[in-house]
Amino acid sequence: MFKISNRGFTLIELMIVVAIIGILAMIAIPSFIGFQLKAKTAEAKKNLGVLWTCEQAYMAEFDRYLSAAIAPRAVAALDKKKSTWATNNSFTDLGFNPAVSVYYSYVITTPGGNETTFSAEAYGDLDNNDVISTWRTITDRGIERVTAGDIY
């Protein structure tokens, strides 16, 4: 006949398993947070590309670029939470109205009141470290990172 053992795991075996899980968590969690921040940063790049396209279409129709006040919130109020996009007349005139909440605030300026050039910028503090990450697109250039922060 077979002998059935009622013996379970020892305390040492359980402690080793807990230690291994702890080590894996120490490695995985910072990487996961970094990937999250990179994904959130993609919002700024995508929306700036859309704003650039909207400005080019506006220029083709009205022979000038349009400026727009910062939306959806002021730079001083930035944090890692999403904000619901509030209707802003200038952005609406461009045809830019994100259907979802956004992590970044956006502004379009026409430097010196010159409506033949524009600069669109995105501001965000995704990890609440008080370093504002800024992305910009200018009339004749692509999207560039202006300040560091929130990029891993």
Side-chain angles (χ1 to χ4, degrees), residues 51 55 65-71 85 88-92 94 106-110 119:
L51 283 171
E55 281 285 7
Y65 291 114
L66 184 66
S67 61
I70 194 161
W85 184 264
N88 177 308
N89 289 337
S90 296
F91 283 107
T92 304
L94 279 175
Y106 299 90
V107 64
I108 302 172
T109 56
T110 51
S119 172

Side-chain angles (χ1 to χ4, degrees), residues 38-129:
K38 280 185 181 181
K40 291 173 184 176
T41 300
E43 172 205 306
K45 295 177 191 178
K46 179 192 145 297
N47 283 342
L48 284 175
V50 170
L51 283 171
W52 187 89
T53 303
C54 289
E55 281 285 7
Q56 298 306 325
Y58 193 88
M59 173 59 120
E61 188 171 346
F62 298 104
D63 292 327
R64 66 183 179 92
Y65 291 114
L66 184 66
S67 61
I70 194 161
R73 58 201 162 149
V75 175
L78 292 176
D79 57 23
K80 63 182 177 182
K81 297 176 186 159
K82 281 188 159 188
S83 290
T84 303
W85 184 264
T87 303
N88 177 308
N89 289 337
S90 296
F91 283 107
T92 304
D93 290 346
L94 279 175
F96 179 77
N97 190 15
V100 296
S101 300
V102 292
Y103 287 104
Y104 284 83
S105 289
Y106 299 90
V107 64
I108 302 172
T109 56
T110 51
N114 179 2
E115 295 175 336
T116 60
T117 185
F118 77 91
S119 172
E121 295 180 339
Y123 301 98
D125 182 10
L126 302 181
D127 56 2
N128 281 344
N129 64 354

